[in-house]
Amino acid sequence: MCRTLAAFPTTCLERAKEFKTRLGIFLHKSELGSDTGSAGKFEWGSKHSKDSRNFSEDVLGWRESFDLLLSSKNGVAAFHAFLKTEFSEENLEFWLACEEFKKIRSATKLASRAQRIFEEFICSEAPKEVNIDHETRELTRTNLQAATAACFDVAQGKTRTLMEKDSYPRFLKSPAYRDLAAQASAASASLSGGSLAEPSHT
């Protein structure tokens, strides 16, 4: 099994290729969850496209901080594609579910949604069980007895920390992201001035 949070296993090299394929789909067909659609029509070589410049800056920003990655719809989609190659996408899916959960204003909906999140991600043998300690699991179970928007905060925080310290650095070091960042840097340079995009003749 490739499901480990210690180091990227040699047996998962094929998964790295899969990630690269997924990113290709993401860039050209926007099929990894981005609802902006901008990535689907992105062209690195476009000379005066505001969308191209913004997307290049977006891609390069992902390596600046985990917060910037999570605040980018494109970044979340790319990171999710990477996590799927490591069989750990449940961590991000739980974090995203918690973010949506906090937006609920109806007490009735809050309670029912909290139960669904707990059953999907937290309880033992959950279909997408996240990697949290027993104390956090039991604290979250207790919180559900009087569900509030903050009842998953501890579990969400620990899952976020796990991703930031473990999966995020591997994502940045992955060949697929490094290739993507190199293309973004080149595109950004060419868009900054037409002369940078033209070959020099001496």
Side-chain angles (χ1 to χ4, degrees):
M1 287 291 290
C2 304
R3 193 186 183 96
T4 176
L5 295 174
F8 196 78
T10 304
T11 53
C12 288
L13 288 178
E14 290 185 3
R15 291 291 170 182
K17 294 179 182 178
E18 179 187 339
F19 171 45
K20 208 164 188 178
T21 300
R22 286 178 182 277
L23 267 185
I25 294 172
F26 163 67
L27 286 173
H28 298 296
K29 296 184 180 179
S30 191
E31 291 179 355
L32 293 177
S34 169
D35 40 70
T36 62
S38 60
K41 299 178 181 178
F42 185 77
E43 295 181 3
W44 293 109
S46 179
K47 289 189 177 180
H48 41 269
S49 169
K50 195 171 183 179
D51 288 342
S52 296
R53 182 186 301 277
N54 290 342
F55 190 71
S56 295
E57 292 174 354
D58 192 24
V59 169
L60 296 175
W62 303 344
R63 63 190 179 192
E64 297 300 319
S65 75
F66 193 48
D67 284 331
L68 285 177
L69 176 69
L70 292 180
S71 66
S72 162
K73 289 181 180 180
N74 293 330
V76 167
F79 188 47
H80 185 261
F82 172 74
L83 292 177
K84 286 180 79 70
T85 70
E86 295 199 330
F87 299 100
S88 61
E89 67 271 20
E90 69 277 357
N91 293 318
L92 180 60
E93 290 174 7
F94 171 64
W95 186 88
L96 292 170
C98 290
E99 289 298 288
E100 289 302 311
F101 174 75
K102 293 174 185 177
K103 299 175 184 178
I104 298 174
R105 292 293 173 260
S106 165
T108 303
K109 289 182 179 179
L110 199 72
S112 62
R113 181 58 181 153
Q115 188 61 40
R116 288 206 304 273
I117 291 175
F118 185 83
E119 291 174 355
E120 185 174 6
F121 296 102
I122 302 295
C123 70
S124 298
E125 306 302 324
K128 297 182 179 180
E129 185 178 352
V130 294
N131 186 13
I132 56 174
D133 57 84
H134 176 73
E135 289 76 11
T136 301
R137 195 182 311 278
E138 292 308 306
L139 172 63
T140 306
R141 188 192 304 275
T142 301
N143 289 345
L144 257 62
Q145 296 175 8
T148 69
C151 66
F152 292 107
D153 281 2
V154 175
Q156 184 188 19
K158 292 196 174 185
T159 302
R160 184 194 185 285
T161 298
L162 182 65
M163 289 190 294
E164 183 174 16
K165 291 185 176 180
D166 194 84
S167 303
Y168 175 57
R170 287 203 302 278
F171 167 73
L172 296 181
K173 292 175 182 176
S174 67
Y177 175 71
R178 290 192 302 191
D179 287 350
L180 189 63
Q183 291 180 62
S185 295
S188 181
S190 66
L191 289 166
S192 295
S195 61
L196 294 178
E198 300 293 331
S200 59
H201 299 285
T202 54

